[in-house]
Amino acid sequence: MAQNAITLLKADHRKVEDLFSDYENAEGAAAKRKLAERICLELTVHTQIEEEIFYPACKGKVEDDLLDESFVEHDGAKVLIAEIEGGKPSDAFYDAKVTVLAEQIKHHVHEEEAFLKGLFSQAKRSDIDLDALGDELAARKKELTASYKKKLPKPETSTFGTVKV
């Protein structure tokens, strides 16, 4: 069933929030690792479809500062995702990295979903065709999810210099 871009992106937010909650309640290294991998996959795909499709569609139609902050927040998340993917639950700081990633994502979601001032509210008030954009996001999400199931790509950051992860 087709959904508009904002509905799709908000559904992604809720899914990741649930996964972080499951991680907090997980017991055992295997359960934590599986959940962390799922979180990393979901966030990698989500950030990529936003950066490739949603944010460019919003350029010039929402506050530039919000878009700039979104890219920086994504880059911070990508670094933590790479650290989590390269580690294991028994590593020092592994749980802390997942916790900090959850906190960063919570802040990012708030920035996107904030009533009236958020990125999504501004996009809704613009002339962006959110239905067509939703179809494009859904197709790309399906493609990336299938592609990344076995191994996530090395993160590409747009706002940092060379990142060694």
Side-chain angles (χ1 to χ4, degrees):
M1 184 169 100
Q3 55 185 329
N4 80 32
I6 293 171
T7 303
L8 181 145
L9 295 172
K10 281 184 172 183
D12 283 357
H13 292 169
R14 302 297 82 79
K15 180 189 276 186
V16 171
E17 287 168 353
D18 290 345
L19 289 169
F20 278 123
S21 179
D22 291 346
Y23 184 91
E24 280 182 33
N25 297 316
E27 293 185 22
K32 285 185 172 193
R33 181 68 191 168
K34 185 175 179 179
L35 285 163
E37 286 174 351
R38 185 91 189 282
I39 289 166
C40 291
L41 172 64
E42 294 291 335
L43 289 174
T44 298
V45 170
H46 180 83
T47 58
Q48 191 166 340
I49 65 173
E50 279 189 332
E51 290 176 6
E52 287 180 2
I53 300 165
F54 187 69
Y55 294 166
C58 291
K59 187 76 175 158
K61 300 180 185 296
V62 304
E63 292 175 27
D64 287 340
D65 288 351
L66 278 177
L67 284 177
D68 291 349
E69 289 172 19
S70 293
F71 279 105
V72 173
E73 289 168 353
H74 278 190
D75 285 352
K78 289 174 188 177
V79 170
L80 279 173
I81 289 166
E83 289 277 323
I84 293 164
E85 276 290 301
K88 54 189 181 296
S90 61
D91 291 346
F93 305 111
Y94 188 88
D95 284 336
K97 289 174 185 177
V98 175
T99 298
V100 170
L101 179 61
E103 291 167 353
Q104 286 182 346
I105 297 304
K106 182 178 180 178
H107 170 81
H108 178 71
V109 165
H110 174 74
E111 293 284 311
E112 287 187 339
E113 295 185 8
F115 184 66
L116 296 179
K117 292 186 176 189
L119 189 64
F120 292 171
S121 291
Q122 290 182 31
K124 283 181 188 176
R125 292 191 306 270
S126 76
D127 62 353
I128 298 169
D129 184 345
L130 294 173
D131 293 330
L133 203 56
D135 292 341
E136 192 177 347
L137 288 168
R140 184 66 171 139
K141 180 179 175 179
K142 183 177 180 181
E143 176 187 341
L144 290 172
T145 301
S147 170
Y148 295 163
K149 283 255 186 212
K150 293 188 187 215
K151 182 162 174 59
L152 292 181
K154 275 202 156 295
E156 293 184 22
T157 58
S158 56
T159 66
F160 293 164
T162 304
V163 177
K164 295 179 183 176
V165 286

